[in-house]
Amino acid sequence: MIARKPLGRSTILFMVLLVIGSFFGTYTLITLIFENRTPNSLKEGVSVIDPVIEMPQTVKKTEHGKMLFHIALTATDAAYSKWQCRIMYYWYKKQKDLPGSDMGKFTRILHSGKSDNLVNEIPTYVVDPLPTGLDRGYIVLNRPWAFVQWLEQATIEEEYILMAEPDHIFLRPLPNLGYGELPAAFPFFYIKPAENEKILRKFFPVEKGPVTNIDPIGNSPVIIRKDLLEKIAPTWMNVSLRMKDNPESDKTFGWVLEMYAYAVASALHGVQHILRKDFMLQVPNSPLGSGNWEKVHPTLHLRL
């Protein structure tokens, strides 16, 4: 049997000091991490995380009044889409008139060609779908065609438009993140123009510049000036159809084909977007949890 020697007072004191030192060291490290992760504007109640491409200083310094944007989302008359639209419209009404909001009127652009039972509940504009068979089973191709019709036919009071989708939820009052000829968009990690240059050159010729001129975005969420969208929308529609007709781009881009088409169409018109990482939070196939993300991201994109 081996007898244990009692710990001396100096050893106990050293261990206590070690524990206390580790505690304060860990506390300080965590505090520094959170301080560096929290922008000053967030502490002041404004939601800003450094964007990928920052707004130019000349624009930042320019004082301007409220620049309202019209919220426009394309939708089908399917039951699933209807419920998404109802939820989105509910949260739009909750946030629209709060301080910090530049949210204007709301339109559900229904591309079924006929009214449904939500037209009296949600402001709706009915447009025609693509001719039968032209979408080749890819219903999202109706989105650019819907915007082309809506922009040509509807009376839109606001100077700016937010292109949204039914699975978006407004977590906070959303300000106008765009300015002038600089629309604002959310950068998607899976939109990779540089890695798909060979394919994209079929739609974005060399004389238009490097393929990196194509922003890593889709059409939604995007806040854009109305006159810019009026120029881009027909090109967006045509590029979408051409990409769908091309076996290589159709296979490679799959369900994000229409997103690539919008990015290409914008670049063809020389429109560069301010890429805002704080525009939206994506929650793919997971419960929302109880974090404080609603204090940072004004828009939530649910891919459930």
Side-chain angles (χ1 to χ4, degrees):
M1 180 176 180
I2 301 175
R4 294 183 179 178
K5 295 181 179 180
L7 295 175
R9 294 181 61 184
S10 59
T11 303
I12 295 175
L13 179 61
F14 173 76
M15 293 179 66
V16 170
L17 291 175
L18 182 63
V19 171
I20 294 173
S22 299
F23 170 78
F24 280 105
T26 304
Y27 175 80
T28 302
L29 178 61
I30 293 174
T31 301
L32 286 173
I33 291 174
F34 276 93
E35 283 293 321
N36 287 322
R37 288 180 60 185
T38 306
N40 292 331
S41 54
L42 181 57
K43 297 171 191 173
E44 298 168 0
V46 180
S47 169
V48 175
I49 295 177
D50 287 339
V52 178
I53 297 178
E54 292 193 6
M55 189 176 293
Q57 292 297 325
T58 54
V59 174
K60 287 182 180 179
K61 295 176 182 178
T62 303
E63 294 294 331
H64 56 76
K66 288 179 72 68
M67 298 187 298
L68 298 181
F69 54 85
H70 193 108
I71 293 85
L73 69 151
T74 56
T76 71
D77 58 359
Y80 181 64
S81 178
K82 289 180 180 179
W83 276 108
Q84 286 183 320
C85 290
R86 296 184 77 186
I87 294 169
M88 182 190 182
Y89 186 58
Y90 170 84
W91 284 103
Y92 156 79
K93 292 188 293 183
K94 295 272 285 186
Q95 307 293 346
K96 177 182 180 295
D97 296 322
L98 295 180
S101 169
D102 287 326
M103 301 162 75
K105 294 183 179 179
F106 185 103
T107 298
R108 179 183 66 133
I109 308 173
L110 182 62
H111 54 74
S112 62
K114 60 183 184 299
S115 298
D116 61 9
N117 61 341
L118 289 187
V119 295
N120 294 323
E121 179 180 341
I122 302 174
T124 299
Y125 194 94
V126 180
V127 297
D128 294 325
L130 288 168
T132 303
L134 194 60
D135 65 6
R136 290 173 173 76
Y138 181 54
I139 196 170
V140 185
L141 287 183
N142 284 287
R143 181 176 295 152
W145 175 224
F147 270 106
V148 169
Q149 295 175 81
W150 179 64
L151 290 165
E152 288 181 349
Q153 302 168 11
T155 299
I156 306 162
E157 297 177 0
E158 296 86 349
E159 186 180 357
Y160 290 81
I161 292 170
L162 165 63
M163 291 188 285
E165 295 183 26
D167 57 357
H168 288 172
I169 297 175
F170 293 105
L171 301 176
R172 301 186 66 207
L174 184 62
N176 190 337
L177 302 176
Y179 191 89
E181 296 186 358
L182 294 170
F186 178 80
F188 291 92
F189 70 90
Y190 49 79
I191 303 296
K192 303 176 180 179
E195 294 184 13
N196 293 284
E197 180 169 4
K198 181 181 176 182
I199 298 174
L200 291 174
R201 281 303 182 193
K202 298 178 180 180
F203 314 99
F204 188 74
V206 175
E207 56 267 26
K208 288 294 183 178
V211 76
T212 50
N213 285 351
I214 301 172
D215 291 327
I217 61 173
N219 82 291
S220 174
V222 167
I223 298 178
I224 184 170
R225 207 171 64 191
K226 181 171 57 179
D227 63 315
L228 291 179
L229 184 56
E230 288 172 343
K231 295 177 182 178
I232 294 172
T235 307
W236 172 26
M237 180 188 69
N238 291 329
V239 173
S240 296
L241 294 173
R242 288 174 56 206
M243 283 186 172
K244 189 63 180 175
D245 282 337
N246 183 276
E248 188 176 14
S249 57
D250 185 28
K251 180 180 179 180
T252 301
F253 298 150
W255 66 272
V256 297
L257 180 147
E258 166 265 345
M259 297 174 68
Y260 270 101
Y262 175 79
V264 169
S266 298
L268 287 172
H269 286 278
V271 176
Q272 183 185 30
H273 296 69
I274 301 168
L275 305 183
R276 297 291 300 250
K277 292 185 291 184
D278 60 333
F279 200 153
M280 182 177 71
L281 172 67
Q282 289 183 289
V283 183
N285 304 314
S286 64
L288 299 184
S290 58
N292 291 324
W293 38 261
E294 71 277 5
K295 295 180 181 178
V296 179
H297 300 272
T299 308
L300 177 68
H301 192 198
L302 295 174
R303 286 286 188 187
L304 301 179

